[in-house]
């Protein structure tokens, strides 16, 4: 099973996303959506789990601030802010302790992350939105079966 993962679109739907998310069975957007049309375009590809971010006004967006789904026997927790200033936040640590997920998807920092914290895979797909700072624009793919893998895909800095 393949899951497309993105965050921090800030209203931009990159036209390369359908190509990279072809054959995914689910998509997770980890907040800072920007425009509802981004989610509508993702829903044309596969079912979407989405959480709101600080840019979305959290609950004001109509999307929850946190989500937990079960996919291929693994629990995936989704939250926009887990890290700030390069460190796991107090709220992020409490979220992980409360949810005890196999995988935690998050955004906010625009910095890609793919690392283990104990038995939890922490995955930030990076930002799929407009280029900011010197950070690359990225999305991610989770592949789950007998094993679990996560990888980043770099998007072009300039859109066609």
């Amino acid at each position: 099973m393949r899951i497309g993962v993105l965050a921090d679109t800030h209203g931009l739907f990159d036209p390369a996303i359908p190509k990279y998310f072809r054959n995914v069975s689910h998509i997770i957007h980890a907040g800072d959506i920007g425009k509802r049309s981004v989610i509508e375009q993702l829903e044309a590809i596969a079912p979407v789990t989405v959480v709101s971010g600080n840019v979305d006004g959290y609950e004001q967006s109509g999307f929850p601030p946190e989500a937990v789904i079960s996919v291929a026997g693994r629990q995936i927790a989704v939250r926009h802010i887990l890290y700030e200033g390069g460190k796991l936040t107090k709220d992020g640590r409490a979220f992980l302790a409360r949810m005890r997920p196999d995988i935690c998807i998050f955004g906010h920092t625009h910095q890609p992350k793919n690392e283990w914290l104990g038995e939890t895979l922490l995955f930030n797909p990076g930002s799929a939105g407009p280029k900011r700072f010197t950070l690359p624009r990225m999305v991610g793919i989770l592949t789950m079966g007998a094993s679990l893998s996560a990888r980043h895909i770099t998007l072009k800095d300039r859109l066609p």
Side-chain angles (χ1 to χ4, degrees):
M1 175 174 280
R2 295 182 53 205
I3 298 175
V5 183
L6 73 166
D8 298 286
T9 49
H10 294 270
L12 176 68
F13 184 84
D14 189 301
I17 289 172
K19 174 179 80 170
Y20 294 123
F21 285 3
R22 183 180 22 230
N23 300 322
V24 300
S25 48
H26 200 88
I27 297 171
I28 296 173
H29 192 306
D32 278 2
I33 305 150
K35 292 180 184 172
R36 186 169 285 276
S37 63
V38 170
I39 301 305
E40 292 166 357
Q41 291 175 84
L42 292 172
E43 288 173 334
I45 301 169
V48 180
T49 296
V50 58
V51 298
S52 59
N54 53 299
V55 165
D56 305 314
Y58 294 110
E59 287 87 356
Q60 295 171 7
S61 71
F63 296 110
E66 300 175 350
V68 178
I69 60 172
S70 182
V71 177
R74 291 187 170 91
Q75 185 169 314
I76 302 173
V78 188
R79 185 176 210 269
H80 184 60
I81 299 175
L82 198 69
Y83 276 79
E84 238 173 356
K87 295 183 180 182
L88 186 60
T89 67
K90 181 179 176 184
D91 286 345
R93 191 173 301 281
F95 175 71
L96 292 172
R98 179 170 32 100
M99 297 298 174
R100 302 180 55 86
D102 299 300
I103 305 162
C104 184
I105 307 293
F106 64 101
H108 187 62
T109 65
H110 293 222
Q111 296 173 324
K113 185 179 277 292
N114 183 2
E115 66 182 42
W116 290 89
L117 178 64
E119 294 187 16
T120 301
L121 174 65
L122 303 180
F123 189 76
N124 183 331
S127 171
K131 176 104 172 128
R132 290 185 68 197
F133 318 115
T134 59
L135 298 170
R137 297 178 59 251
M138 304 183 107
V139 295
I141 297 286
L142 289 177
T143 304
M144 292 186 281
S147 63
L148 168 66
S149 68
R151 67 182 175 96
H152 291 96
I153 300 168
T154 303
L155 301 170
K156 292 181 181 178
D157 287 345
R158 292 195 177 154
L159 300 174

